[in-house]
Amino acid sequence: GATPTYRTVVDAKIKRGDPDASCFDISPDGRHLVFSFDPAHEKRSDGRCALAEITLKTGRLEVLAQDLAWDYSAPRYSPDGRRVACIASHQALRHTAPGQLAVLTRGEPVEVLSAEWDHDVQPPLLWEQDGSAVLLAAEQQGMRHVWRFDLADRRAEVVHAGGWVQAFDKAAGVLVTLADAADHPPQVLATLPGQAPRRIETFNDALLAGLALGRHEAISVPGALGDAVQVWLHYPPDFDARKTWPLLQVIHGGPHTAFGDQWHFRWNMKAFAAQGYVELGLFEEAREELSPLPAVMHDRVDVIEITLLCHMGRQRWAEALALATKLCQQEPAEPGGYIHAAFCLHELGKT
């Protein structure tokens, strides 16, 4: 570790990209604040952060951990305030290096504790009250759990299994988690020692009561070089295994991200599974599904848009343009109709 140095507070700033509560922590006695910052003169989104501590009474700043090869983040004081846990990533090794649990004591080198544990440590970090272990988040097989990492044994065990744990805290022996899964939005659960998790809110129950949600499961398929690749398979609400069904493949961004067991508010797999044939480019089948609807239903905005997409998929630009114009008239504040109309005009050679 580097020899601690003093700097003015204005030289060190919490990262600018998506800062949150895991960027800093206040010591148990309220006298100090530790935070991660980019020490480079030119601030970059992929800059390697160091850890610094401010003495709140005097405003003096001490660099606790700085190494050009490592990124240090998510600092958290131990209950006695003598140690700081953090996430250390060996960025000089590779930019996708996983986060590892590390602990530092003032004046001593940073000690990486989870190097032999093949998981990416994620915030928040939370010390057990006796200082013997740290609670943390980490992903495993497409789910995100809360783990307890024993500092002496350097061994981790799941204390609350996802779904996908978004956040957690623990006080007076009670672990509270905010977690979602593909079949439900985030829920708050409380776990008392020796008891099963208990849900303590019902915020979205009324909204979900009117929805039919299909089931989902994790399967494994052979990938490149014979490696097993985990895949989440989501079924439509009325799935019947005796029938043949089309398949929609959704590919995540990347290259080193993945879909999890999540209720994603943008890429919601339940909505994709229930949406129907248009997403699959099966436009004739989609039209067949729409044709039995009463005439009044065909004036609904959602039906107009599906029919419009069917015409565009079949390159019937004049018919698509007529529906796009109708969409603009019914929803003048929405951009979709204008975008579709402009594309149709271009294809018709009228731009």
Side-chain angles (χ1 to χ4, degrees), residues 7-17 19 23 35-40 43 49-50 52 54 61:
R7 303 180 183 179
T8 59
V9 177
V10 294
D11 286 338
K13 300 177 182 178
I14 289 177
K15 66 177 184 177
R16 301 174 184 178
C23 295
F35 66 100
S36 62
F37 73 101
D38 184 353
K43 309 302 181 185
C49 289
I54 298 175
L61 183 146

Side-chain angles (χ1 to χ4, degrees), residues 274-294:
Q275 188 167 354
Y277 293 104
V278 172
E279 291 289 341
L280 302 163
L282 302 175
F283 305 111
E284 288 297 334
E285 289 83 349
R287 289 298 305 276
E288 289 176 7
E289 291 291 326
L290 294 175
S291 59
L293 295 177

